[in-house]
Every structure is written in C-alpha cells, then in structure tokens.
Amino acid sequence: MLHKSIKFLIENKLVAVLLLAFIVGWGVINAPFSWNTGFIPNDPVAVDAIPDIGENQQIVSTEWNGRSPQDIEDQITYPLTSALLGVPGVKTIRSSSMFGLSNIYIIFEENVDFYWSRSRIIEKLNSLPNNLLPSDVNPSLGPDATGLGQVFWYTLEGRDENGNVTGGWDLNELRSIQDYYIKFGLSSASGVSEVASIGGFVQEYQIDINPELMRQYNINLSQIVSAVKNSNREIGAQTLEINKAEYLVRGLGYVKSISDIENAVITAKDYTSIKVKDVAKVFLGPEARRGILDKEGAEVVGGVVVARHGANPMEVITNVKEKIKEISVGLPTKTLKDGTVSKLSIVPFYDRSTLIKETLNTLDEALTLEILVTVLVIVMMVFNLRASILISGLLPVAVLMVFVAMKLFHVDANIVALSGIAIAIGTMVDVGVILSENIIQHLETSEGKKSINTIVYNATTEVSGAIITAVLTTIISFIPVFTMVGAEGKLFRPLAFTKTMALAASIVVALFLIPPFAAILFKKRAWKKKSSFLIHIFSILIGGVAIFYGYFIGLALVAFGILSILTIKEKVKKEHTKWWQLGIIIFTITALLASYWRPLGFQENWILNFVFVALICFGLLGVFKIFSNYYTRILTWAMENRILFLSLPTLIIVLGVSIMLNTGKEFMPSLNEGTFLLMPTSLPHAGVEENKRVLQQLDMAVANIPEIETVVGKAGRTNSAIDPAPLSMYENIIQYKSEYILNESGKPQRFKVNSEGLFELKNGKFTKDGNHSSEKLNITSDNLIVDDEGAYYRNWRHHINSPDDIWTEIVEATKLPGITSAPKLQPIETRLVMLQTGMRAPMGIKVKGNDLKTIEAFGVQLEEILKNTKGVKKEAVFADRIIGKPYLLIDIDREKLARYGISIEKVQEILEVAIGGKVLSKTVEGRARYNIRVRYPRELRASTAD
C-alpha cells in the first residue's frame, strides 16, 4: 500500500500539488503567528510563553470584613475545609486565613476536568448545613483561571495630547472610573475571566458620631443605625391604571448626597426632630484598603486582566487591546488650572504578548537559521542545488503539519512545545538527505535508460522501509515521556508531542511529497536558447526589484541571471558554471547567516560577523570532509587499537559525569522574560502608611537605574481570589530596556550618527548612547533618525553586559532597612513556583516542634547553615520569623455587664462601630454603589482609653 501510494503521487503530480496546497493552507490557518493573508481564515493555535504546570486547583474565597485571622480560621476556614473534603476527585486541600479573608485551595487529581470540578464545588457550597458559617458570610468560587492567567496589567493616568503625564486626577476619581467603567468594559472582551482593581480609594459615606452629643440628646447607637437604614430605601408598589394607561409605581428613597443622610430623623418630640447632623458629621471618605499600587514613587490606580482557563492568552490580550481602543474614546477629560487638557488613558505596564511574540520569533529565527544551514551543508557536501531546495522545503511544510496536529489535539504553542520542533529538525533533515542522495545516485547510474518517474520511484521504495524504521525508533524512544504526570508531565509532554508530530510529518513529506516534486525538479529539459535568455533576464529584473525594496537576496538572483547569460553567450565555460553557481549560493547563505545570527553581537560590523560565520561553517565542514575522506583509515586504526581508542570515549564519559555532579545548577534553565519581579517583605505588623512609604522608596530607587524603563510596585492584594497577598508583601514589576533600541519587528535598528559617533536627534541636537554615558537617557526611536547605514543605539551602560548585571544593580539599590532581601525572580516563573509549592520558592523546609520560639530559633540557625551550602544562593534563603500582627484584646467582664443590664451584643456592637465602623446600608448612584458606614471619630478610635 505504501509503495502504491508513492507511485500514484509520482504519476499524478497534480494530486501532489493539491495535497501540498491543502497542507500549507491548513497549516497557515492554524499557525500561531496569526499571519494575515487576506483570503485565508485565521484560527491559530493557543499561544503562551511557557506551559502552565500548576496544580489542577480551584479557590474558594470568603470575605468577612474586619475580622481577625483567628476568627476567620475558627469560624470559616476550618468548617469550610472540613466540608469540602468530601468533594469527588480531591487530592488535597490547602488553606490560609488572614485579616478579613479566607482562601481555600482545593487541588484535584490531574484527570479531573477543570469545569467539572467547579460545578462539584458549587453543589457542595449550595448544600452546606445551616448555621455552619456566620449569617453574614457568603463563600464564593474564585475565577475560572489560574495565577498564570494574569496576562495584562495597566494603570490609569492623565496625559496630554502629546502623551506626557499631566496628573490632576484624584485617586478616588480614578478608582471609581476603574470600578464602574473600565473594569466592566474590559470584562466583556472574549476570553477574559475577570478584571481585578488595585490602588486608589473606594468612596463611601462615613458617619462620625459624637458620643458626647449622643449623651446630651439621650440617643443611643441603635437609634442612629435604625435612622440611617430607614432613610435609604426604595420600593416598587406594583402598578396603577389611570385613564386606561398602566403606570409603574416606584418609591424613590436612595441616598443621593451627604445632606440626605444629615437630615435623616433619629427621633422627634414636641414637633422638634433630632437629626443625624445634630450628633454626627457626614462626609465622603475612603474605605479601608488592603492593596496599594505605586508607579515610580507616585501612587496610582490600575487593574489586572486575568485570562480564562483554556483560553488563548495571545488572543485574549489582542481582544483586550481592541476593547481599550473602544472604551478609551469615552474616558473623561479635565482642564487643569494651567490650561492643560488632561485625557485619562489606560497605560499598560505588563503585557505578556511581548514575551509571547519573542517566543514565536525564537522559533522563526531558529527555523530560518536551520534552513540556511541545511542548504549550506547540502550544497557543500552533495554539490546539488536542486536537492538542497527539496530538503529545505521539507522543513516548513512539516512544521505547518505540526501546527495542524497541535490545534486538533489542543496543545498550546509555547517555548517548550516549540522547542520540540526545533529538536526534531535534525532528524527531519536526515530523512530528506537520505532520500535525495538515493534519488541522485539512481539518476547517475540510470544513464537515461529509464523514465524519471521510474527512477524516483525505485529510489524512494528502496529506502522507504529504512526511513520509517529509523524515524519510528526515535518516536518510540519518546513514549516514556508521555507517561510522566504532574508538573513534569505538563512541562515535557508538549515537547514530546511536537517532536513526535514533526517526525511523523517528515515521513509524510519525505515519502509522499518529495518524490513527485523530485521528479519535476530532476527532469532534464531542453530549453530553447531564446526562451532561456528571457527567463534569465526576468530573474535579473526580479532581483533588482528585491534590492530596491531592501531584500539583498536579490543580489543572488541578479548574479545567477548574469552568470547564466554569460554561459549562453559562451563567455563562461559550462563545466565552470556549476562551481560559480555553488559559490554564489555559499556566499549568499553565509551572508544571510551573518545577518540573522550576528554571533559577535550587533555592536560589531557585518563584515566581522561574516568572517566569523564563514570560519565556523567552512571550518566544521572542512573537518567533516576530511573525516569523510579518511574514514576508512581511521576505522582501520580504531579496529587495530581497540583498547587505546575506547579509552577516549571512556574519558569523555568520566569527565561528563564529574561535570554534571559538580555543576550545582538547576535542571531547567530560566526563561528570560525581559521583566523582573522584586518580591521583598516587610514586618507583618507594618501598617498601610509604612508599607506605602517603603513601596515608594523601592520604586524610586529602581527607577533611577539607567537601564530600567519603568517600575510599578504593588503592596497587598488586588480584588481577586487568586491574589491573596498580605500588605507586608511587595511585588515590584520591573521592565528593563532591551540592550539595543528595536524596530517594530523586534530587531535592532540603526540610527544616524555624526563623524564623532554621536547620535543625531530629530530636534537637531546630538547625544551619546548608554554605552558611553553613566546617566539615565530617556531616548527612544521617536527621538532618533533612522539610517540603515548608521549605528545601533545601545541602551545599557558599558559595564552592563547581561540582565544579571541589571539585577545586581537592583539588589544594591533596594537594600532598605526593615525589609527582607529577594532572590532573582520573574513574573511567570514566580507564579509557576507559587502555584506548585504554595510559597515563593521551588523548595522549602518545614520545621516542626513543641513551641513557636523553639521553631523560630532552629529556623534561624538552619538559615545560616543553608546560606553556606554549596549551590545555594545566599539571598534566596530566609527563615520565617514568628512575628504576627499585635492584638488588642478586650476581655469583657460578664458579671459587671449583668449589674448594669447590658448584653454582650450591645458591647460588641459599640466596639465594632467605635474602632472599625459598621456598614449599615448601600446606596446606588447610577452605576456606582456606595457603602454607608457609621463609626466614631478618628481621635476616639485611636485612643484606647476612650
């Protein structure tokens, strides 16, 4: 059947062409690059930077405002955790209790469907026994996302028409716009699970009651509470029919202003009423907050977009950006005192699409380089241009087939999955080389006695069995990878899948597509002299057009055309033409490799890179050629001196094992995300203002580093179940500049320089680049003049050679008293670690003991030991200090309460209102909802005596 299929396609080349067109078209549709062809639909494979290797978990979050962690643990976390243990498919449950919040992490078995597990949890929550939880507590299921779903962060900033920051917006204004306009707009984007707000102030009506005035008017707290509640209510009174028309009856009573609360009547006697304003002050104030957002030292308001589980992150980000363009038109503007018109803008500070594009560019660049190297090797070793075209054409077609398989089997495209394709390319090329060389050999030995179809068929069937056996052997060797489970399985199964699919695709292409096209390419044709001359003239014209548009590969077309014309005119001998053609191809490919690869760096000119690439390529190929010519002699010597020869591989193995045992490095290298995440912590009992001060100092210190583009810090948590961070934990997202200014394609761009090597600005001035300056230069491509003959603008200073050097600068700048050190972290890397382990490190040690003081003392000693351990980063080791928030415990004397006839409930209500305030009701104003809170004045709340 295999041979019949091969023969059918060789004899019916139109079918092969249609099959190739079908494969290429389908592959382009599913390609993760989102190519816009104009007529082919686009349905790309889901794209992310790295696979989500976190546990299959769901989060049940419960808020109980103002309650201590101990109350949360006893009354919410423990009973809920006990109840949820019976959910089917649960592997384990982790939980945490913090001030006002309980989070329960339910980890399911890997084979449990994500949304099925959510439905089981909802069923369990709906069937909880009565009185299991306090009456005013409602547990809720977290968003259908993981911590890795945080794909887009942004801030709200006022900017003028030139994009300059203007300010002039209050934090409460920004938070209201974020909560009631932007958040809802972005949530409607396809693939978005939730949009969580952070920073600023949530407004509420606050009633500060005066205890002295209450005593004078003989009014108690319950009367004020009742008066405020009764003054904020709307009703619907069915309908009335008047003159045969039906009217809906609605009683309006929601609080719309401060005066509505102030004029609420508490009590009345002898036609004289006592109102709220007589015993309290009413004003709009900020609600207590558990999260702060800061940008380079200035407090801001922002949000985070969380992608839904299973959604395509790249597509989600694209949809969000389209929504931002749509809703930005309706954002408010404000004229400041100096006459500047400030337009509110959504400014992203973390956009994962940049990293995703770089990941795809890595594959694109790898494929380009490998195809070029393949053509170079085939031309040098086989001396056949047509064979090199066949073999190099196999690679992109097979890769497109892999994209189709990834779409059908729901495998995301990420750096690990795409690396499987790159790894398989070597074997894919081998398949094409074996088949092409056999076809060439049969062509040389046939001497024209057989048709081209027969020659290609015989050559293909002769090696088809060996090709299939060799590829299947490689595929079978990867089967154990598919049996891996947990985080390792999620990480390496995509790689094994893409490698397997790439090898399978290479068999299909090699056995079914290469033969018919080989029959076309290798068929001898007798061109008329005039027709051949016109074809070469056309080649020269195409090459000239390519050169005009900046594609210097057109030089090769022009050279080929001129060489062919000279051959026709008999200016060049035909026996020399082949060598000239090979020389043109070798020079062109080497030049392209030097341009794409740039092994010596962009700071060196193209000629040096060309020479270096030529030395490497021709040096290695020369060694292989010599080895090929002297292989028989080498093999004979090795057979005669077996012990001496075997000592060489033995020595290599010994050296390899010793190096492996002494590296002290992680097995998985870190992905360079282009962004750092600084995560120090302060003391747990630090207040909001202290954390805000430290956060601003951290951001300002980092922002002053010349290589830093922007830094935005977060203390505390967003309004999301997937971000339960305490106020004492900071997350500073640091975007650093690329080494060179890049163009829209992500490649370094050249700019105009003068004779002294200074870069010319568009305003006529000149400036140095970062390599020759120690100051922070805010120069972008908008300030410089593009010049393809100019120089590359380097953003980094001369002593900064890698991102690690930038991190060293950050560590030195952020050594502040009162906060811990932080290891080198990146956003995605950190999220994955926290999802796996529940802490900020991939490895931890749990210490158990009789009491907390002993545990803490042992932990501190262990910290010093680990810091001195080989292979451990000192700054990454930190033992938890047993320091919690201090408690002010009020122990109520029941006997004395009984003497005065006061209940526990009465005292607790007074304490609740006096310290934290109590939310009495909610009012609706348009889209916004405001709490109405009653409390004692600040000076009384701060005094324990009162």
Side-chain angles (χ1 to χ4, degrees):
M1 184 182 295
L2 174 66
H3 292 173
K4 288 181 179 178
S5 301
I6 295 172
K7 186 175 184 180
F8 173 79
L9 289 171
I10 293 175
E11 294 176 349
N12 299 273
K13 297 178 180 62
L14 179 60
V15 177
V17 171
L18 293 175
L19 178 61
L20 176 63
F22 175 74
I23 292 173
V24 171
W26 196 358
V28 169
I29 291 172
N30 296 147
F33 305 101
S34 299
W35 290 317
N36 184 13
T37 59
F39 61 93
I40 298 180
N42 190 16
D43 186 20
V45 176
V47 186
D48 204 347
I50 198 167
D52 188 349
I53 59 176
E55 300 278 6
N56 182 12
Q57 85 174 8
Q58 303 292 345
I59 304 174
V60 174
S61 180
T62 311
E63 289 191 16
W64 200 15
N65 290 328
R67 301 290 175 158
S68 68
Q70 191 62 53
D71 290 335
I72 297 288
E73 173 69 23
D74 294 340
Q75 300 189 50
I76 296 178
T77 304
Y78 176 75
L80 260 184
T81 301
S82 303
L84 292 170
L85 284 172
V87 175
V90 172
K91 182 168 66 174
T92 184
I93 294 182
R94 295 198 301 257
S95 61
S96 66
S97 301
M98 54 192 300
F99 179 70
L101 180 68
S102 166
N103 273 335
I104 300 175
Y105 304 91
I106 308 166
I107 293 92
F108 286 85
E109 300 289 345
E110 291 299 331
N111 59 348
V112 175
D113 180 73
F114 185 85
Y115 286 98
W116 182 88
S117 64
R118 291 177 65 83
S119 63
R120 300 289 79 78
I121 294 174
I122 292 173
E123 287 178 0
K124 193 68 176 180
L125 293 177
N126 290 335
S127 62
L128 291 176
N130 294 331
N131 301 322
L132 179 70
L133 302 176
S135 59
D136 56 341
V137 168
N138 295 307
S140 61
L141 187 59
D144 53 342
T146 67
L148 206 61
Q150 297 180 356
V151 295
F152 192 85
W153 288 77
Y154 62 89
T155 57
L156 303 183
E157 301 175 15
R159 301 204 169 188
D160 61 16
E161 57 183 6
N162 297 321
N164 299 317
V165 179
T166 61
W169 295 85
D170 294 334
L171 291 174
N172 60 316
E173 286 182 294
L174 296 175
R175 183 58 184 263
S176 297
I177 295 169
Q178 159 65 19
D179 284 343
Y180 300 109
Y181 182 71
I182 295 174
K183 179 179 177 180
F184 296 149
L186 298 184
S187 296
S188 63
S190 177
V192 173
S193 175
E194 73 166 353
V195 179
S197 303
I198 176 71
F201 300 102
V202 177
Q203 278 193 328
E204 65 179 4
Y205 289 102
Q206 295 178 346
I207 307 169
D208 280 6
I209 56 177
N210 189 323
E212 183 60 34
L213 292 175
M214 288 172 61
R215 284 194 290 269
Q216 290 178 14
Y217 288 109
N218 195 25
I219 293 173
N220 57 41
L221 182 61
S222 60
Q223 288 177 291
I224 297 177
V225 170
S226 178
V228 174
K229 285 183 177 180
N230 293 336
S231 67
N232 183 52
R233 187 186 176 202
E234 286 196 3
I235 57 95
Q238 297 296 334
T239 61
L240 283 178
E241 189 169 332
I242 304 173
N243 293 331
K244 297 183 180 181
E246 187 177 57
Y247 291 82
L248 302 177
V249 179
R250 179 185 173 199
L252 303 179
Y254 276 140
V255 168
K256 299 296 182 183
S257 64
I258 292 175
S259 61
D260 291 344
I261 299 177
E262 289 179 332
N263 293 321
V265 177
I266 300 174
T267 184
K269 186 177 181 181
D270 298 332
Y271 303 100
T272 301
S273 58
I274 299 174
K275 302 177 181 179
V276 171
K277 65 182 180 181
D278 295 327
V279 296
K281 292 181 180 179
V282 184
F283 50 88
L284 280 171
E287 184 180 331
R289 56 179 180 163
R290 308 304 299 172
I292 304 169
L293 194 67
D294 178 89
K295 185 173 183 179
E296 299 180 6
E299 192 173 353
V300 291
V301 174
V304 54
V305 178
V306 182
R308 183 172 290 116
H309 174 79
N312 183 348
M314 189 67 183
E315 185 178 349
V316 172
I317 296 172
T318 302
N319 295 336
V320 168
K321 290 180 178 178
E322 291 176 356
K323 277 293 179 182
I324 288 176
K325 292 180 181 179
E326 180 182 327
I327 66 178
S328 292
V329 179
L331 291 176
T333 58
K334 179 186 290 188
T335 302
L336 306 181
K337 292 181 180 180
D338 60 358
T340 304
V341 177
S342 178
K343 168 79 172 178
L344 203 62
S345 304
I346 300 173
V347 182
F349 64 88
Y350 177 77
D351 180 357
R352 194 182 294 172
S353 64
T354 303
L355 179 60
I356 294 173
K357 289 177 181 177
E358 289 179 357
T359 301
L360 295 178
N361 287 339
T362 300
L363 173 67
D364 186 28
E365 183 178 350
L367 290 177
T368 302
L369 293 176
E370 287 176 330
I371 289 173
L372 290 174
V373 171
T374 300
V375 175
L376 180 64
V377 172
I378 299 303
V379 168
M380 291 284 292
M381 305 301 287
V382 182
F383 292 103
N384 194 300
L385 177 61
R386 297 177 182 180
S388 65
I389 293 174
L390 273 177
I391 297 167
S392 59
L394 174 148
L395 298 179
V397 176
V399 170
L400 290 175
M401 293 177 68
V402 175
F403 292 150
V404 174
M406 292 172 71
K407 185 67 176 181
L408 293 176
F409 291 94
H410 306 288
V411 177
D412 292 355
N414 50 62
I415 190 67
V416 177
L418 297 179
S419 64
I421 301 175
I423 292 172
I425 283 178
T427 307
M428 293 161 65
V429 171
D430 290 343
V431 171
V433 170
I434 293 170
L435 182 59
S436 298
E437 280 194 327
N438 205 46
I439 292 174
I440 293 171
Q441 184 178 0
H442 276 254
L443 284 170
E444 292 174 350
T445 56
S446 67
E447 298 179 352
K449 298 178 181 179
K450 300 179 182 178
S451 67
I452 186 66
N453 289 353
T454 304
I455 294 172
V456 172
Y457 172 74
N458 291 338
T460 304
T461 54
E462 185 177 0
V463 296
S464 60
I467 289 174
I468 293 176
T469 302
V471 174
L472 286 180
T473 302
T474 307
I475 291 175
I476 291 172
S477 66
F478 263 73
I479 289 179
V481 180
F482 290 96
T483 64
M484 299 175 74
V485 296
E488 294 78 10
K490 291 180 179 180
L491 184 63
F492 292 111
R493 278 201 303 265
L495 183 147
F497 176 87
T498 52
K499 186 177 188 297
T500 301
M501 289 297 106
L503 294 177
S506 68
I507 293 179
V508 174
V509 175
L511 298 184
F512 299 112
L513 292 180
I514 284 184
F517 286 97
I520 296 173
L521 283 177
F522 290 119
K523 184 177 181 180
K524 294 183 179 179
R525 293 174 176 82
W527 295 93
K528 293 182 179 181
K529 190 173 183 179
K530 185 176 181 181
S531 300
S532 179
F533 184 81
L534 291 175
I535 290 172
H536 298 316
I537 291 292
F538 184 67
S539 173
I540 294 173
L541 290 175
I542 293 176
V545 173
I547 295 171
F548 178 78
Y549 284 101
Y551 296 98
F552 293 102
I553 195 173
L555 289 171
L557 293 175
V558 173
F560 266 110
I562 294 173
L563 178 64
S564 300
I565 292 174
L566 292 175
T567 304
I568 294 172
K569 295 290 186 179
E570 298 182 354
K571 300 292 183 180
V572 177
K573 294 182 180 181
K574 288 186 178 181
E575 57 268 23
H576 296 163
T577 301
K578 180 180 179 181
W579 295 101
W580 279 103
Q581 289 177 340
L582 292 175
I584 293 171
I585 294 170
I586 291 170
F587 178 83
T588 303
I589 295 173
T590 307
L592 290 172
L593 280 172
S595 300
Y596 280 105
W597 184 15
R598 289 274 179 174
L600 297 179
F602 287 91
Q603 70 274 10
E604 301 294 343
N605 60 44
W606 178 83
I607 295 175
L608 287 176
N609 281 280
F610 176 83
V611 172
F612 185 78
V613 171
L615 289 175
I616 290 179
C617 293
F618 298 137
L620 290 174
L621 289 173
V623 171
F624 294 149
K625 193 67 177 177
I626 294 172
F627 181 79
S628 175
N629 293 336
Y630 291 93
Y631 174 70
T632 304
R633 295 183 183 181
I634 296 172
L635 181 61
T636 303
W637 180 86
M639 296 294 291
E640 293 175 352
N641 302 273
R642 290 184 291 271
I643 297 176
L644 181 60
F645 174 76
L646 289 176
S647 63
L648 178 62
T650 304
L651 178 63
I652 294 174
I653 293 173
V654 172
L655 290 175
V657 172
S658 63
I659 292 172
M660 180 186 69
L661 295 176
N662 291 281
T663 53
K665 297 288 185 181
E666 290 180 287
F667 173 70
M668 275 296 296
S670 296
L671 173 67
N672 183 8
E673 301 179 25
T675 306
F676 289 128
L677 183 63
L678 182 67
M679 290 188 70
T681 58
S682 65
L683 294 175
H685 59 270
V688 176
E689 289 302 317
E690 173 63 13
N691 284 314
K692 174 184 170 182
R693 181 190 66 81
V694 174
L695 183 65
Q696 290 177 334
Q697 286 188 344
L698 288 171
D699 285 344
M700 288 189 289
V702 173
N704 286 328
I705 299 174
E707 287 73 25
I708 301 303
E709 185 170 346
T710 183
V711 53
V712 179
K714 177 178 75 73
R717 65 187 188 92
T718 62
N719 289 345
S720 173
I722 62 176
D723 184 20
L727 264 172
S728 57
M729 188 172 82
Y730 310 130
E731 296 180 27
N732 302 77
I733 297 177
I734 304 169
Q735 295 275 2
Y736 58 87
K737 299 175 182 178
S738 57
E739 185 174 2
Y740 295 93
I741 291 182
L742 309 178
N743 57 20
E744 294 180 355
S745 303
K747 305 293 183 180
Q749 178 66 58
R750 292 179 180 269
F751 298 98
K752 189 174 182 180
V753 295
N754 64 4
S755 58
E756 298 177 0
L758 298 176
F759 288 85
E760 184 176 349
L761 301 176
K762 290 182 178 178
N763 58 11
K765 298 181 180 179
F766 294 89
T767 183
K768 300 178 181 179
D769 65 353
N771 194 46
H772 301 90
S773 176
S774 60
E775 301 176 359
K776 184 165 187 177
L777 304 174
N778 294 319
I779 302 296
T780 64
S781 57
D782 296 333
N783 307 119
L784 300 171
I785 301 173
V786 176
D787 182 6
D788 292 336
E789 301 299 324
Y792 296 105
Y793 186 95
R794 192 170 190 266
N795 288 314
W796 296 356
R797 289 167 291 170
H798 68 279
H799 65 279
I800 303 294
N801 299 311
S802 68
D804 288 338
D805 295 333
I806 300 177
W807 178 255
T808 302
E809 297 272 333
I810 293 172
V811 171
E812 290 298 322
T814 55
K815 287 183 178 179
L816 301 178
I819 64 170
T820 64
S821 60
K824 180 185 173 184
L825 299 172
Q826 299 179 104
I828 298 178
E829 180 184 22
T830 306
R831 302 295 177 201
L832 289 173
V833 169
M834 295 179 73
L835 284 171
Q836 284 183 279
T837 64
M839 57 185 179
R840 292 177 295 160
M843 184 180 296
I845 299 177
K846 183 181 289 185
V847 180
K848 299 180 181 180
N850 296 327
D851 59 83
L852 292 179
K853 289 185 178 181
T854 305
I855 293 173
E856 181 182 10
F858 180 81
V860 172
Q861 295 178 13
L862 186 61
E863 175 185 317
E864 294 300 321
I865 295 172
L866 292 176
K867 283 184 175 181
N868 297 320
T869 303
K870 186 178 180 181
V872 175
K873 294 180 181 179
K874 292 183 179 181
E875 64 273 14
V877 180
F878 183 76
D880 284 338
R881 269 59 173 178
I882 313 299
I883 302 175
K885 289 185 179 293
Y887 277 75
L888 179 63
L889 302 177
I890 302 174
D891 193 4
I892 301 172
D893 192 326
R894 295 177 179 269
E895 292 185 3
K896 291 183 178 179
L897 286 184
R899 186 186 307 168
Y900 294 103
I902 302 175
S903 66
I904 293 288
E905 174 66 24
K906 198 75 172 177
V907 175
Q908 299 288 39
E909 185 180 31
I910 296 293
L911 289 174
E912 185 178 7
V913 173
I915 306 300
K918 182 178 182 180
V919 177
L920 305 181
S921 183
K922 291 182 181 289
T923 182
V924 180
E925 296 182 27
R927 293 182 177 180
R929 295 176 179 270
Y930 295 103
N931 289 337
I932 301 176
R933 184 185 299 272
V934 61
R935 63 183 188 180
Y936 279 14
R938 182 181 181 86
E939 58 272 14
L940 295 183
R941 288 184 283 122
S943 171
T944 55
D946 289 328

